[in-house]
Amino acid sequence: MGLTVDYELKETILLARLNGELDHHTASELKESWQLALQQPGIKHMVLNLESLSFMDSSGLGVILGRYKELKAEGREMVVCSLTPAVDRLFQLSGLFKIIRFEENERYALETFGVVLS
Amino acid sequence: MNTNMMRFSFSSQSRNEAFARVTVASFVSQLDPTMDELTEIKTVVSEAVTNSIIHGYNSDPDQMITIICTLSDDEVELIIQDEGVGIPDVDEAMEPLYTSKPDLERSGMGFTIMENFMDHVYVHSTEGEGTTVTMNKQFNRSKAMSQ
Ligand SMILES: Nc1ncnc2c1ncn2[C@@H]1O[C@H](COP(=O)(O)OP(=O)(O)OP(=O)(O)O)[C@@H](O)[C@H]1O
Ligand SMILES: [Mg+2]
C-alpha cells in the first residue's frame, strides 16, 4: 500500500496530493520529499490535497503540523483541502482546525491564493 | 457466548505498522463491523504499535511487539504489549497533547485518539519492564439488539 505524493507547481503555489496511507512509517519519507519540494525557488505558499488519503493516524497530524510551522515561520501559508470524513475527524479531535486553514476542494483552495484554473 | 481469539508478534519496525492494523482488521471483520468501526480499529492499532516502536523501544528495530485480539459476541478486546522502557506517569502520558518527544514531530494525540475511538482504554506500565494497552469496543449496539 504505502504512500505516494504528487507535487505540482501552480504559478507560485506548491500543490501536493497525498495518495495512500500516512502513518509513522510513511511520514518520515513524506517529510523528506516535502521539505525538498518546498526548497524549489519561486514557491510562496502551498495547498495540501488529502482527497486520496485512505488512512491517517497521529503521525500524519505531526508531519502536517510540522510543515505548517516551518512555512509559517517564513511568513508562508499552507491550506489543506478535500478531507475525507475519517481524516476530518482526526483534525477535529486534535484542534488543528483552529490553527490551519481548510477549504472544501483544490480549485477553491488555489483560488484563495489567486490561482485561477482554466 | 462464543469467544474467538488470535495472537501474533512482530519486530518493532515501522514497516510492520500497516501489517499489524490490516491483520487485526481482517480478523475483526468476522463481527461484520461498519467501515467506520474498521477504520477506528485500524487507527488505534496503529497508534499503540507506533508508541511501542517510538517510545517503548526508542526505535530499536530488534525488539518484539505482541497483539492479542479477542472477539466475543459483538465485542472486541485488543491487547498491545511491549517490553520496553515503560511509562513513569501514566495519567500524565494520557493527557491530550502530552508528548515526551516533541522533537520527533509527535503531538501527544495517540492516547486521546484511542480513548475517543474505543469504549474503554486501560494502560498498565512498569518502568524498565514494558507497557500493555488494553482496549475494548462493542460494535453496532443497535444492530445487535434488533436481531
Ligand atoms: N509503549 C510506550 N512505552 C513508553 N512510553 C509510552 C508508550 N506509549 C506512550 N508512551 C508515552 O506516552 C506519551 C503520550 O503518548 P501519545 O501516543 O498520546 O502521544 P505521542 O506518541 O507522544 O504523540 P502522537 O501519538 O500524537 O504522535 C508519549 O509521548 C510517551 O512518553
Ligand atoms: Mg503516540
Side-chain angles (χ1 to χ4, degrees), chain B residues 10-31:
Chain B
F10 52 92
S11 299
S12 50
Q13 299 175 13
S14 66
R15 75 187 62 198
N16 288 333
E17 290 156 3
F19 161 74
R21 63 179 178 260
V22 168
T23 303
V24 171
S26 82
F27 184 67
V28 163
S29 292
Q30 298 172 49
L31 293 186

Side-chain angles (χ1 to χ4, degrees), chain A residues 22-27 55-60, chain B residues 10-18 20-21 42-60 65 67 80 82 101 104-107 110-111 114 133 135:
Chain A
L22 178 51
D23 62 6
H24 163 233
H25 185 64
T26 56
F55 177 84
M56 188 176 101
D57 62 17
S58 67
S59 300
Chain B
F10 52 92
S11 299
S12 50
Q13 299 175 13
S14 66
R15 75 187 62 198
N16 288 333
E17 290 156 3
R21 63 179 178 260
K42 281 189 196 170
T43 309
V44 301
V45 169
S46 209
E47 293 299 343
V49 168
T50 299
N51 278 353
S52 291
I53 293 173
I54 298 178
H55 304 296
Y57 293 131
N58 282 306
S59 302
D60 174 354
I65 296 166
I67 297 184
I80 296 163
D82 66 63
K101 289 194 160 62
L104 292 185
E105 297 195 339
R106 313 313 309 178
S107 41
F111 280 132
M114 290 183 243
V133 178
M135 299 183 267

Side-chain angles (χ1 to χ4, degrees), chain A residues 86-98:
Chain A
V87 172
D88 187 285
R89 191 171 166 199
L90 290 182
F91 281 115
Q92 297 279 8
L93 253 181
S94 64
L96 245 57
F97 260 114
K98 295 182 201 124

Side-chain angles (χ1 to χ4, degrees), chain A residues 55 86 89, chain B residues 21 24-26 28-45 74-76 78 116-119 136-144:
Chain A
F55 177 84
R89 191 171 166 199
Chain B
R21 63 179 178 260
V24 171
S26 82
V28 163
S29 292
Q30 298 172 49
L31 293 186
D32 198 20
T34 63
M35 286 307 286
D36 284 350
E37 287 166 336
L38 263 191
T39 299
E40 288 165 346
I41 294 292
K42 281 189 196 170
T43 309
V44 301
V45 169
D74 58 347
E75 202 174 314
V76 57
L78 269 171
N116 256 276
F117 286 13
M118 302 295 280
D119 297 336
N136 299 80
K137 187 180 182 69
Q138 185 156 25
F139 289 134
N140 271 324
R141 218 174 260 270
S142 55
K143 191 179 82 182

